[in-house]
Amino acid sequence: MKSLACVLLLTVLITGCSMNGERLVDRTAKKVDKLQGFYAELDAVVFSLEGEQRYRVKQWLQVPGRWRVEVETDTGEQIFLCDGEQVWIYQPGIKEFFHLDVDAAREIQPPFLLTGYLNELAGASSPLFEGQEKKENRDCYVVSYETYPESETVRLWLDKKSLFPILIETYQDEELLNRLACTSLTLNPKFADEFFMYTGENERKVATHCLVKPLSLDDAKRDWSLPVYVPAYLPEDTWLFIISHAEEDEREQLTLVYEGKHSFSLVQRAKSDRGIRVTEGMKEIVVGGSTGFYQKNRINELNTLWWSNETSDFVLTGPVPLTELLQVAQSLQAD
């Protein structure tokens, strides 16, 4: 009888202490709320139609609103920086950069930021606790959640002590999109204020060289020798966010970025005599009476349209249903 009581007590203790998705999310959220900052290093792999793309990532975060993310490949480096008031995106040694004030950039998350995934987990409607597993000789909780509106599945291996991700995998329809492995993590270190400040240009030159900033269409047309085409049709809850005028592959281009429920970008360039370069996976499609092409990328369900009219080449890209993207393309009007 005594042994039976012990067994029953042990069963109650085990049941009472068992982990589930709700309890894990609650513990993780409390851990993040107490966080003062962190430094982490990651190895990232993104899988696409073009093959594997590998990145080396370093990231620093200082509560409440400062962060720095450095993303390096074999061919270059890009830095994402927020000083609490402004956001900068730039490449060392190159004077061109993106610059947004923190209000306009409130919804922008730097790539691969660990706390971004933890905040998504905290806001997920039905996180799924998948048990415990050892990763890199560490005991981990495994939990997954669905993202909205992308309908992707994110799986996290959380270190049982720190509750920070050791491994992150993102899937869509059971297809692996990317994998992030955290190779180094330091919680609550001290950072110098200067580390989160952009020092590439002084304030006067920043205003002059800023690549991306909220421009009026009149401002854009002053620097553009061709008609500026804008869509008469926009998907629901979508708006013009930023306009940029830059040069890529030795060709000037004007880019209109639309944000909201169905975000997309519209690139327009002077029409090339070479026409559209057709690659594997492209399919013919008719846009406004012109023959163009489209391609669906498995990463983020991106649809891309390429077509031309009498004066311009166009590229329209976004995680938007093809029917919606076609409506946008066919509604273009010269402003």
Side-chain angles (χ1 to χ4, degrees), residues 37-326:
F38 73 90
Y39 167 71
E41 296 180 7
L42 294 83
D43 291 329
V45 185
V46 175
F47 303 92
S48 68
L49 293 173
E50 292 74 32
E52 296 182 3
Q53 302 168 38
R54 295 185 175 272
Y55 305 91
R56 297 174 294 277
V57 184
K58 297 179 180 179
Q59 52 188 248
W60 298 257
L61 180 135
Q62 184 180 64
V63 175
R66 295 180 175 185
W67 42 257
R68 179 187 182 104
V69 176
E70 299 179 359
V71 180
E72 182 182 355
T73 68
D74 292 336
T75 58
E77 181 184 16
Q78 194 167 35
I79 296 177
F80 302 77
L81 179 67
C82 179
D83 63 8
E85 296 180 355
Q86 301 176 93
V87 174
W88 311 88
I89 305 172
Y90 64 96
Q91 291 177 253
I94 298 178
K95 292 183 178 180
E96 297 177 334
F97 51 83
F98 296 152
H99 173 212
L100 298 169
D101 64 60
V102 77
D103 290 330
R106 191 175 301 148
E107 301 301 321
I108 293 179
Q109 281 275 6
F112 312 126
L113 189 66
L114 293 181
T115 48
Y117 292 98
L118 295 178
N119 288 331
E120 278 188 350
L121 173 64
S125 58
S126 301
L128 176 63
F129 179 65
E130 300 185 12
Q132 303 182 36
E133 190 175 324
K134 238 181 173 35
K135 282 289 181 184
E136 304 298 328
N137 295 318
R138 300 187 189 182
D139 294 323
C140 297
Y141 296 120
V142 186
V143 63
S144 61
Y145 62 89
E146 300 291 324
T147 65
Y148 178 84
E150 297 88 354
S151 298
E152 296 174 348
T153 299
V154 179
R155 181 168 289 112
L156 308 176
W157 283 259
L158 302 178
D159 178 73
K160 293 178 71 172
K161 293 182 179 179
S162 69
L163 294 180
F164 259 66
I166 297 300
L167 184 68
I168 302 170
E169 292 183 345
T170 303
Y171 295 84
Q172 190 160 62
D173 298 328
E174 299 184 356
E175 182 177 359
L176 182 62
L177 302 181
N178 59 61
R179 177 184 292 120
L180 315 178
C182 181
T183 58
S184 178
L185 175 67
T186 304
L187 297 180
N188 302 319
K190 298 293 184 181
F191 301 122
D193 289 343
E194 292 79 9
F195 192 68
F196 299 97
M197 295 180 182
Y198 179 76
T199 57
E201 299 283 346
N202 63 40
E203 289 302 316
R204 184 182 63 82
K205 290 185 177 179
V206 164
T208 303
H209 290 95
C210 185
L211 263 187
V212 177
K213 56 184 178 180
L215 296 175
S216 69
L217 287 173
D218 288 338
D219 290 333
K221 286 187 289 186
R222 275 197 292 269
D223 295 326
W224 192 246
S225 58
L226 298 169
V228 176
Y229 289 88
V230 296
Y233 168 79
L234 292 178
E236 182 183 2
D237 294 329
T238 303
W239 62 90
L240 180 60
F241 181 47
I242 49 177
I243 302 173
S244 70
H245 181 186
E247 183 174 307
E248 184 170 326
D249 299 327
E250 299 181 351
R251 295 177 66 190
E252 286 193 30
Q253 67 180 38
L254 194 67
T255 303
L256 283 69
V257 179
Y258 290 81
E259 290 286 354
K261 188 175 180 181
H262 295 292
S263 59
F264 64 89
S265 64
L266 171 66
V267 175
Q268 45 197 294
R269 307 184 183 102
K271 187 173 182 179
S272 171
D273 294 333
R274 293 174 294 181
I276 300 170
R277 181 187 173 191
V278 181
T279 60
E280 184 178 356
M282 285 186 175
K283 298 181 181 180
E284 278 194 9
I285 198 166
V286 176
V287 180
S290 301
T291 299
F293 296 88
Y294 87 93
Q295 186 173 45
K296 186 173 185 176
N297 193 325
R298 292 175 295 177
I299 301 299
N300 295 326
E301 289 295 303
L302 286 177
N303 280 309
T304 302
L305 304 182
W306 294 264
W307 80 100
S308 302
N309 64 11
E310 297 80 9
T311 62
S312 305
D313 292 336
F314 300 97
V315 183
L316 185 62
T317 304
V320 180
L322 181 59
T323 53
E324 288 277 298
L325 216 58
L326 272 172

